[in-house]
Amino acid sequence: MIDLMPTSEEQAAAIVLTHAETNRPLAICGGDTRSGFGNTVASEDRLRSTRLSGIIAYNPGEMVMTVRSGTPLAEVEAALSEGGQMLAFEPMDHRPIMRRSGEPTIGGVFAANVSGPRRLIAGAARDSLLGVRFVNGRGEIIKAGGRVMKNVTGLDLVKLIAGSHGTLGFITELTFRVPPRPKTEQTLVLSGLNDAEAANAMAAAMALPVEISGAAHLPLTVTWKFLAGKLPEGEATVLRVEGLPGSVDVRIEKLAAAMSAFATVTRLDEPESRRLWREIRDVLPYADGTTRPVWRVSVAPGTGHQLVSALRLEAGVDAFYDWQGGLVWMRMEADPEADLVRRFIKALGGGHATLIRASEAARAATAAFHPEPEAVAMLSRRVREKFDPAGIFNPGKMGEG
C-alpha cells in the first residue's frame, strides 16, 4: 500500500481530485491505530493526515482548542493538562485490544467518534466538536462550524463528519471544547453484586444528586484483571466522583451511605481511581493478544445484562459493563455470532453492536457496523453521494462499497 502524506490542505485536495477523476479509491487514515475495525477497505493508496500536525490556537481562558487533524492525541492532552483542561469525552485508546502501535491522532478520535467512561455525562466526541475543515470527494476544501457555539453555521455538518470514519471527507482541522479538568477523584467499589443487582444499584446511584461521572460493573471473570488484581474480592460495581477535593469528600460520603444498602463498599483514592478508569476505558481484560471477536454493544442500561444472559445460553461470551450498563464489552470465545447478537439486541428493544476486533476471515464475513433500517440506509447513501460522488473515500468501510 502506498502512503500519501500531504503537508497542506491544498496538497490533500489535489490528491483527492486526482483520485476522483480516475476513480481510484483512497483509504483514509491517521495514526493507523483504529483502522483495524470496520469493514475491510480495498485500496492500494492510503491518504494519511500525520503530516498535518500542530496546535493552531489554544487559550485556556476560552476553553476552546483548534488543531490540525494529524496532531498526536498525546500532544493535545499534554497541552490541555498544562492548561488544567481535558477532553471531556475521555477517548479510548484502541491500541491494546487491536494490537496496534503508532500514535493516535486527534483527527482519528473525532472521525471514529471515540468516547470513554465519562460519556454518560459528557457526551461523545461529536458533542464537543465546534468546527471542522475537510476535503470532500470533489477535492474541495470545506469549512463548517466555528470557535463558539453561537456560530451554528454548518454545525449539523460538523456532527455528521464526526463518526463517519473517513467515508465523507478527509479531515484537516478541528475545533473543540475543552472544559476544566477535575482537581481530584475517588471511586466507590460495591462488592459481590451479580449483573442484575449491579444494574439496579447503578440506576439508584445515578438518581442521587452526587454527580457520578463513571458507572461500571466488572463481573468475576474480569475483576482480577483490573488494578493488577487489587480490587476487593468478588464482583465490583464501581462509581466515580470527580471535582474539588472538599466536594468530592462530601459527595462520596453521601454515595457510600446510600450504596451500603446494596453491598459492602470500599473506596479508591485518586491514583488507583485514575488507573482503574483508564483500564476500563481501554478494555484491558480483552487486550489479550488474540483475535477473539470483541463487540462494543450499546443498549438501554437496564437491558445489557439481559442480553449477556441470553447469549450465554447459546454461545461462549465474556462481558463487562460501562455507562451504567448501557455499554457492553463482549468477547466471544469462537465466532462473532453476529446474527445471534443482533437478533437478541432487537428482541430486547434495540441498540447497536459494532465488531471491534476479529480475525481477518471473520471480518471478511461479518458486517462490522450495525445494519441500518432501509430508510436510514437510503439517506446515508444519498449523503455519501453528495460528499463523495465518485465513492473513493474508504469504500465499504461502513457498509456498501
Side-chain angles (χ1 to χ4, degrees), residues 199-359:
N200 291 332
M202 287 190 290
M206 294 302 296
L208 296 172
V210 294
E211 298 178 43
I212 292 169
S213 66
H217 177 61
L218 316 174
L220 277 176
T221 54
V222 299
T223 304
W224 62 277
K225 297 182 180 180
F226 291 99
L227 294 183
K230 294 179 181 178
L231 281 172
E233 186 177 351
E235 300 90 336
T237 307
V238 292
L239 305 166
R240 179 176 62 185
V241 176
E242 299 176 299
L244 296 172
S247 171
V248 169
D249 288 340
V250 170
R251 287 184 284 138
I252 207 79
E253 286 283 355
K254 290 182 179 179
L255 182 61
M259 293 296 101
S260 61
F262 291 88
T264 301
V265 300
T266 53
R267 297 186 202 180
L268 302 179
D269 289 333
E270 182 177 7
E272 287 186 323
S273 177
R274 289 196 188 281
R275 177 180 173 184
L276 173 65
W277 289 99
R278 280 197 304 270
E279 293 175 351
I280 292 172
R281 179 197 72 183
D282 297 340
V283 195
L284 179 68
Y286 305 147
D288 52 13
T290 75
T291 58
R292 281 186 288 181
V294 172
W295 287 97
R296 181 184 184 274
V297 179
S298 179
V299 291
T303 62
H305 67 280
Q306 298 176 40
L307 171 66
V308 173
S309 295
L311 285 170
R312 281 177 173 156
L313 297 176
E314 301 195 36
V317 182
D318 191 29
F320 72 94
Y321 310 84
D322 198 358
W323 302 355
Q324 194 200 324
L327 175 63
V328 188
W329 286 103
M330 301 193 311
R331 185 187 63 195
M332 313 301 285
E333 294 305 312
D335 297 328
E337 303 285 1
D339 292 341
L340 187 67
V341 169
R342 287 167 172 155
R343 185 171 77 244
F344 283 176
I345 288 173
K346 183 177 180 180
L348 288 169
H352 297 274
T354 303
L355 184 63
I356 298 296
R357 184 185 76 194
S359 67

Side-chain angles (χ1 to χ4, degrees), residues 39-280:
N39 302 319
T40 302
V41 176
S43 173
E44 296 180 358
D45 296 342
R46 182 165 62 176
L47 182 58
R48 300 190 64 173
S49 65
T50 47
R51 291 184 181 171
L52 297 173
S53 182
I55 296 172
I56 296 171
Y58 174 47
N59 182 343
E62 296 177 346
M63 295 194 292
V64 173
M65 176 180 274
T66 299
V67 299
R68 294 182 177 88
S69 61
T71 307
L73 177 61
E75 182 180 332
V76 171
E77 292 185 322
L80 291 176
S81 179
E82 186 175 341
Q85 294 173 332
M86 66 176 182
L87 296 171
F89 48 91
E90 206 169 0
M92 173 186 176
D93 184 349
H94 284 82
R95 287 176 294 182
I97 64 166
M98 300 300 296
R99 299 188 301 168
R100 292 272 171 170
S101 57
E103 284 293 326
T105 63
I106 190 66
V109 167
F110 283 100
N113 195 34
V114 180
S115 56
R118 201 180 288 112
R119 188 204 185 285
L120 82 169
I121 63 163
R126 66 161 52 93
D127 298 301
S128 291
L129 194 57
L130 298 174
V132 64
R133 291 175 67 94
F134 65 96
V135 179
N136 69 11
R138 296 183 177 89
E140 301 166 335
I141 298 171
I142 307 296
K143 177 185 176 182
R147 288 182 56 82
V148 293
M149 284 299 294
K150 290 181 180 178
N151 181 4
V152 296
T153 304
L155 193 57
D156 288 345
L157 189 56
V158 169
K159 306 300 185 187
L160 192 63
I161 289 293
S164 62
H165 291 267
T167 60
L168 299 181
F170 177 69
I171 299 172
T172 59
E173 182 181 304
L174 299 140
T175 298
F176 45 89
R177 291 180 290 134
V178 288
R181 182 183 182 88
K183 296 296 184 183
T184 190
E185 67 178 67
Q186 293 183 41
T187 292
L188 198 70
V189 182
L190 285 63
S191 299
L193 300 179
N194 63 35
D195 291 3
E197 292 167 341
N200 291 332
M202 287 190 290
M206 294 302 296
L208 296 172
V210 294
E211 298 178 43
I212 292 169
S213 66
H217 177 61
L218 316 174
L220 277 176
T221 54
V222 299
T223 304
W224 62 277
K225 297 182 180 180
F226 291 99
L227 294 183
K230 294 179 181 178
L231 281 172
E233 186 177 351
E235 300 90 336
T237 307
V238 292
L239 305 166
R240 179 176 62 185
V241 176
E242 299 176 299
L244 296 172
S247 171
V248 169
D249 288 340
V250 170
R251 287 184 284 138
I252 207 79
E253 286 283 355
K254 290 182 179 179
L255 182 61
M259 293 296 101
S260 61
F262 291 88
T264 301
V265 300
T266 53
R267 297 186 202 180
L268 302 179
D269 289 333
E270 182 177 7
E272 287 186 323
S273 177
R274 289 196 188 281
R275 177 180 173 184
L276 173 65
W277 289 99
R278 280 197 304 270
E279 293 175 351
I280 292 172

Side-chain angles (χ1 to χ4, degrees), residues 1-5 15 18-19 22-29 41-48 392-395:
M1 181 173 287
I2 300 172
D3 279 337
L4 306 172
M5 296 185 285
I15 291 169
T18 298
H19 281 71
T22 56
N23 287 312
R24 290 173 59 196
L26 274 170
I28 305 299
C29 181
V41 176
S43 173
E44 296 180 358
D45 296 342
R46 182 165 62 176
L47 182 58
R48 300 190 64 173
I392 62 169
F393 288 146
N394 278 349

